[in-house]
Amino acid sequence: MTEGGPLTGGPLFGLPLAEVWFGLLFFVLATFLFLDGFDFGVGALFGTRDDEAERETLLAAIGPFWDGNEVWLVVFGGTLFAAFPAVYANLFGRHYLLTFGILAALIARGLAPEMYEQREDDRWQRWWGRAFVGGSVAAPFFLGLFVGNWLVGATTAVTLPGVLVGLTLVALVVVDGVAFLRVKTRGDLRADLRATGYRALAAYLVSLVVTLAAIAVTTPLGSAMASPSVAALVAATLTLAALHAAATVRDRRYLAFGSAGGLVYALVGVVAVLLYPQIDPAAGLTVETAIVSTLPLNMMTVGAALLFPLIFAYFAVLYDSFSGPVEAGEGY
């Protein structure tokens, strides 16, 4: 046995733990954008409904889930801090104003439904409704801007690739939100959302093509864009989009929701593939140079192996307990 014990002698079982944690980091990010993404989408769609009963249904649909879904944002920040502390410090240090923007949007999105329900007053509810919609649109846009800047190694808050990724993510969360609401609603509301879903899907695909083209032309990532891995993820995106549209036509709502989730994972997968082997291009950090030392890396791996099954079990119970459409009379 190596002096200091098995946790200091090298990566556990000889596994490529730096790459494992890089993959885990983006899996957690994708899971957050999928689960909280439908919350954002519902918030954006809230602004398209004038009927008060329909608005109450939308709030009731996300009520049991949205704060739990944000756990994944905390897990993402914790994973980045624990596994790649230099990246955490550099990335948030460069974009602290954008980080405050994300937090402000998340606070508005979280606070608005609570306040909306407190008073039966038109002016009160109108303003808190606007805060709910604004926070729900701004949060994914700022998150996309953050990820776009991260990908291209930008040091300024606003860049063309960042803005395009932000707009792409807004379109995607609307696709996600429509798919979720078609599972959680009935009747005319569910039927009305079908056309909205088609438009959002078309907007997402157009935005994605424009974004990838802009990144290829305006950044050094053009050659990486032609790699087989990116091509496979783009092909997967087109397949998932076709599956989503077909499932919506045939009213296969759970399949449509699952394929919408697949679109989120494919988009985050493109970002991860384009980044690797770097993890912070602006600071010149690669996955291998930014990962923590062997002992904390091995200890974190053991902890994650114990913790993640508990998180998955919690979400399985949560979603099973509140499955099915919202019933009449249910509120936020």
Side-chain angles (χ1 to χ4, degrees), residues 313-329:
Y314 163 75
F315 275 86
V317 172
L318 174 66
Y319 278 82
D320 181 64
S321 299
F322 296 97
S323 62
V326 175
E327 300 296 339

Side-chain angles (χ1 to χ4, degrees), residues 107-237:
I107 290 171
R109 193 285 305 266
L111 182 63
E114 305 285 349
M115 301 302 290
Y116 184 91
E117 296 288 333
Q118 296 303 311
R119 290 172 54 180
E120 297 291 335
D121 178 279
D122 286 345
R123 188 166 181 268
W124 175 273
Q125 291 190 331
R126 186 167 59 251
W127 279 104
W128 283 112
R130 290 170 179 168
F132 183 43
V133 175
S136 299
V137 173
F141 176 75
F142 287 149
L143 284 163
L145 183 58
F146 183 90
V147 171
N149 288 346
W150 181 7
L151 172 63
V152 302
T155 56
T156 56
V158 180
T159 63
L160 176 62
V163 169
L164 290 173
V165 174
L167 294 174
T168 300
L169 190 56
V170 170
L172 184 53
V173 300
V174 175
V175 174
D176 201 6
V178 169
F180 175 74
L181 285 176
R182 283 184 48 77
V183 171
K184 297 295 290 182
T185 60
R186 305 175 189 271
D188 292 341
L189 177 56
R190 177 191 288 172
D192 288 348
L193 288 167
R194 188 197 300 260
T196 305
Y198 292 143
R199 289 194 292 270
L201 181 62
Y204 169 66
L205 292 176
V206 170
S207 183
L208 179 64
V209 170
V210 172
T211 300
L212 293 179
I215 291 175
V217 171
T218 63
T219 75
L221 293 170
S223 57
M225 202 73 76
S227 72
S229 298
V230 174
L233 286 166
V234 171
T237 295

Side-chain angles (χ1 to χ4, degrees), residues 4-16:
L7 292 179
T8 59
L12 284 176
F13 309 115
L15 293 170

Side-chain angles (χ1 to χ4, degrees), residues 42 45-46 49 54-62 181 189:
V42 171
L45 292 164
F46 187 86
R49 317 309 300 186
E54 291 184 345
R55 288 190 160 203
E56 291 291 344
T57 299
L58 263 58
L59 292 177
I62 62 169
L181 285 176
L189 177 56

